[in-house]
């Protein structure tokens, strides 16, 4: 019986890199603080870039985890702010945890750093952004302690 050579199996191609983006303010945000306004992320790191008007385009057929936190300052001691991720493609807030902050009694009327969180499965290309749901006496979103992050999960 003759032996025959068998080629080794071909290696599996490397998996596609996961999509991710981390988003940051370029300066303290002191304008555009009304309900429905976008958090004005202008800097990013990763492979999910910002598109105009502080938005991010998420490709179809993927699952993402979206998180964000903002440090707030208020012009009064009764201040409050609620943030949440918004799906501009369908025109509604994403289901998940709202980030809600209240003014503290310190002299700067600074709020705690609320975190908002959700997961999203995209069936079509989807535009999202972090949005102020409502606020009272909000004067500043502080650059150094505010961020958004979107990570593809499998």
């Amino acid at each position: 019986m003759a032996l025959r050579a068998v080629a080794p199996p071909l290696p599996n191609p490397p998996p596609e890199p996961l999509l991710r983006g981390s988003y940051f303010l370029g300066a303290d945000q002191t304008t555009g603080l009304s309900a429905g306004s976008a958090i004005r992320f202008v800097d990013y790191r990763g492979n999910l870039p910002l598109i105009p008007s502080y938005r991010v385009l998420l490709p179809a057929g993927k699952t993402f985890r979206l998180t964000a936190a903002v440090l707030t300052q208020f012009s009064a001691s009764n201040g409050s702010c609620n943030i949440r991720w918004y799906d501009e493609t369908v025109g509604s807030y994403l289901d998940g945890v709202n980030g809600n902050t209240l003014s503290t009694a310190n002299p700067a009327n600074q709020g705690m750093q609320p975190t908002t969180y959700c997961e999203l499965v995209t069936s079509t290309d989807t535009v999202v952004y972090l949005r102020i749901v409502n606020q009272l006496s909000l004067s500043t979103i502080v650059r150094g302690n505010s961020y958004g992050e979107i990570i593809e999960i499998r």
Side-chain angles (χ1 to χ4, degrees), residues 6-66:
V6 177
L10 295 174
N12 290 330
E16 284 184 42
L18 293 175
L19 297 173
R20 67 180 304 137
S22 298
Y23 309 96
F24 308 95
L25 297 171
D28 288 354
Q29 183 173 334
T30 57
T31 61
L33 298 174
S34 59
S37 296
I39 304 298
R40 296 179 177 179
F41 295 129
V42 295
D43 297 325
Y44 80 93
R45 292 181 188 89
N47 55 6
L48 271 175
L50 288 160
I51 60 174
S53 301
Y54 321 108
R55 272 80 168 149
V56 179
L57 175 63
L58 303 177
K62 303 206 179 272
T63 302
F64 295 93
R65 178 178 297 132
L66 296 80

Side-chain angles (χ1 to χ4, degrees), residues 9 21 25 41 48 54 91 103 115 131 134 136 140:
L25 297 171
F41 295 129
L48 271 175
Y54 321 108
S103 179
T115 300
R131 186 169 170 167
N134 54 51
L136 177 64
T140 306

Side-chain angles (χ1 to χ4, degrees), residues 35-36 83-87 91-95 131-134:
I83 60 170
R84 196 166 175 190
W85 287 100
Y86 188 78
D87 181 339
S92 67
Y93 288 98
L94 296 173
D95 288 336
R131 186 169 170 167
I132 298 170
V133 178
N134 54 51

